[in-house]
Amino acid sequence: MINQCMVSVFCSVYNHKNYIAQCLDSLVSQKTSFIYEIIVKDDASTDGTSDIIRAYHEKYPDKIVPLILEENHLQRGLGHVAFEKAFHLMHGKYIAMCEGDDFWTDENKLQKQVDLMESHPEYSLCGHAAYYANEAGELIKNDCFRYKTGSGELTTEEIISSWSMATCSLLYRKSCRTDVTFPFQGNCINSDYALMVYMALKGKVYYLDELMSAYRIACNGSVTQKQRRNKEYYKKRRLEYVAMLDRIDAYSGKKYTDVINLRKRKTLFDLYLDLGDRDNLKQYSDIFKTVPKKTKCKYILCVYFHPIYVGAGKLYRKIKGV
């Protein structure tokens, strides 16, 4: 069975009691011509998520491999150690990703991606468009996580420039991951972005313009929610991301310096705009020309009508309860 395994699905979970059943149901229902396994890493959940995972393991012992950790590794800065434990349990030629609060929507997703990768050995990674879903798991049909219209290869520059594909869409060739821990990641928690950049530096990347998974937005306990509530935490994480971009620049031999520097400036622009930090924001006025009209309006309010911007932000957070 191990030798025949084609795909290892990696499902990272923490306090996803309200979401994990929908996720696992979508993973086990894939229709494939090959054997696949599902490694579910639970980072010491405290809400009963672990019990649900164990129940699914009993129901699908030939598919679901639970890794229930007794201590929370991410909170201790040991997220990479937890992943290494999971990585050594993976027997597939390919690794697919789906976090416990996301889910897949196409029962043929894995088959389509594996067929593509098998016929194109030069590809290290492929991903696809994804729906957005609300906290209840309902698809938001009038919006989606779509990088572009039409399938095709993505350049390394495109991968570096943006978060182009949802984590729940990714499938990569395990043999291309010669480093279990990405050499340039450091303390940055954006491992999905690090993965895409790493794979783009190892081979070609393909984007399928098909909606085959769902990215749940702003669910309780998510990193996004934590950042909304704690601006200092948000600032720290964004600056760690910028530091990782510098390390990517060095790791790639300065081949993509221009696009990396632009990515850094856009990240800092967004950071200081979100924080309402008018003085620092002025340093990135060149980015103003590249942002959507809505963001331009926010910039003008923040820089030239700062008291109104601050007041509107407080009112928004009060209404949204964040």
Side-chain angles (χ1 to χ4, degrees):
M1 291 286 287
I2 290 175
N3 293 333
Q4 295 175 335
C5 183
M6 180 66 78
V7 179
S8 297
V9 182
F10 176 56
C11 182
S12 182
V13 176
Y14 176 67
N15 282 357
H16 288 155
K17 179 181 179 180
N18 295 331
Y19 320 122
I20 189 61
Q22 185 177 23
C23 173
L24 293 180
D25 283 339
S26 74
L27 303 187
V28 300
S29 63
Q30 288 290 296
K31 293 184 176 179
T32 66
S33 61
F34 50 79
I35 293 171
Y36 69 97
E37 63 183 1
I38 305 164
I39 312 298
V40 188
K41 176 188 71 65
D42 181 4
D43 202 8
S45 292
T46 59
D47 66 346
T49 297
S50 306
D51 294 332
I52 298 174
I53 294 170
R54 292 187 183 98
Y56 270 81
H57 169 59
E58 291 180 5
K59 187 175 181 180
Y60 303 99
D62 59 331
K63 278 190 176 178
I64 293 182
V65 181
L67 176 60
I68 312 295
L69 303 175
E70 296 182 359
E71 294 182 291
N72 187 286
H73 284 57
L74 185 61
Q75 291 176 2
R76 296 167 58 209
L78 298 173
H80 61 289
V81 175
F83 178 77
E84 285 179 12
K85 293 179 180 180
F87 190 78
H88 293 307
L89 295 175
M90 300 178 190
H91 303 105
K93 181 177 180 180
Y94 302 100
I95 297 176
M97 309 283 287
C98 189
E99 296 182 339
D101 52 349
D102 298 331
F103 55 96
W104 293 346
T105 58
D106 187 335
E107 63 187 7
N108 297 307
K109 167 194 151 67
L110 279 185
Q111 187 70 57
K112 291 176 182 178
Q113 288 185 286
V114 168
D115 287 346
L116 173 71
M117 298 291 277
E118 286 289 277
S119 60
H120 293 85
E122 69 275 20
Y123 293 150
S124 57
L125 170 72
C126 71
H128 54 76
Y131 292 103
Y132 289 119
N134 61 24
E135 188 173 353
E138 301 164 334
L139 301 181
I140 302 172
K141 293 295 181 70
N142 62 344
D143 193 14
C144 60
F145 196 140
R146 171 173 269 139
Y147 179 69
K148 64 178 182 179
T149 301
S151 301
E153 289 183 14
L154 299 185
T155 65
T156 303
E157 289 86 352
E158 287 178 297
I159 295 294
I160 292 172
S161 296
S162 64
W163 186 24
S164 53
M165 297 176 286
T167 309
C168 55
S169 80
L170 302 179
L171 179 142
Y172 62 92
R173 197 177 301 274
K174 187 182 181 185
S175 61
C176 290
R177 187 163 184 169
T178 54
D179 301 284
V180 178
T181 302
F182 304 123
F184 48 75
Q185 186 171 351
N187 292 324
C188 182
I189 64 171
N190 297 92
S191 57
D192 43 7
Y193 176 80
L195 170 66
M196 286 188 278
V197 172
Y198 181 88
M199 287 297 159
L201 295 172
K202 291 286 186 175
K204 293 184 177 181
V205 177
Y206 198 86
Y207 168 77
L208 286 164
D209 188 24
E210 295 186 47
L211 294 161
M212 298 192 287
S213 62
Y215 172 66
R216 198 184 308 256
I217 56 176
C219 63
N220 285 329
S222 69
V223 173
T224 302
Q225 285 282 24
K226 185 175 180 179
Q227 290 182 158
R228 284 180 176 175
R229 297 188 180 104
N230 188 330
K231 293 300 182 182
E232 285 304 312
Y233 175 82
Y234 171 57
K235 182 177 181 180
K236 177 183 177 183
R237 292 308 187 193
R238 289 287 79 194
L239 292 178
E240 286 174 349
Y241 174 75
V242 170
M244 181 176 71
L245 289 171
D246 283 330
R247 292 190 292 270
I248 290 172
D249 193 24
Y251 179 81
S252 59
K254 302 288 184 176
K255 187 177 179 180
Y256 305 99
T257 297
D258 289 345
V259 68
I260 287 173
N261 284 341
L262 181 59
R263 179 67 172 164
K264 285 167 57 181
R265 293 190 67 79
K266 286 183 175 180
T267 300
L268 291 169
F269 177 93
D270 291 339
L271 168 64
Y272 294 124
L273 181 60
D274 288 342
L275 296 177
D277 188 339
R278 176 174 53 180
D279 294 335
N280 275 312
L281 183 59
K282 289 178 181 178
Q283 301 177 50
Y284 304 95
S285 58
D286 57 305
I287 303 300
F288 175 83
K289 300 176 183 178
T290 70
V291 298
K293 185 180 294 184
K294 183 178 179 180
T295 307
K296 283 185 170 73
C297 292
K298 286 178 64 178
Y299 175 87
I300 292 170
L301 280 174
C302 184
V303 173
Y304 300 106
F305 305 95
H306 194 250
I308 296 175
Y309 182 85
V310 173
K314 289 180 179 178
L315 180 61
Y316 173 82
R317 290 189 291 274
K318 183 177 182 181
I319 293 173
K320 292 293 185 179
V322 297

